[in-house]
Amino acid sequence: IEASGLEMFFMRTDPPANDLEYVHKMMVNAHDISHIVSGFGVNMAGEHGINSMTVASIHKYFSPEFALAIGKAADMTCSTFFVNKLYNYPQGVPIIIEAMTLGFAAGQAVRMPLFMVDYDPYLEMQLDDVAADLGFTRGPGAAWDEYDPLLRG
């Protein structure tokens, strides 16, 4: 976590008003650690990968109605990011297709959505071992950093 450079901000200061708010807070809380665990780096392609993974995993594990209720942010980000790249950054589209393909595959393979994982038992494990235990293959991490200029203009 320290080596990632991410600032882990957990919104657990205010109790959730209801179950749906609890799920939304957990999804926000888990976003940064999901980047680390999934291997979808903190770059534009990594955002596509993690959002695609989230969309696939929640639609795999929950009813369509509940997946829609909890997944609107990931659904919207996944779709609008892709359209944005298609029309504004076409030179980066092949890497986005790769990121989304890997993300969807990881989301279909994972044993549970990453926001539901109790990470305490995994803190002493290597990331590849964590991913293997959770049933998916990690993304390429920082290897996509070089593509950010193609994806941000």
Side-chain angles (χ1 to χ4, degrees), residues 68-81:
L68 175 63
I70 67 171
K72 286 181 182 174
D75 293 345
M76 181 65 79
T77 303
C78 192
S79 61
T80 58
F81 273 13

Side-chain angles (χ1 to χ4, degrees), residues 11-26:
M11 300 184 338
R12 295 192 177 141
T13 55
D14 298 323
N18 53 49
D19 291 344
L20 186 58
E21 187 176 310
Y22 173 80
V23 171
H24 282 136
K25 283 187 172 207
M26 290 309 297

Side-chain angles (χ1 to χ4, degrees), residues 1 8 15 20 28-29 50 60-61 70 85 107 119 129-130:
I1 291 171
M8 299 296 175
L20 186 58
V28 170
N29 289 345
I50 197 68
K60 177 181 177 182
Y61 285 98
I70 67 171
K85 301 311 176 258
Y119 287 103
D129 295 334
V130 173

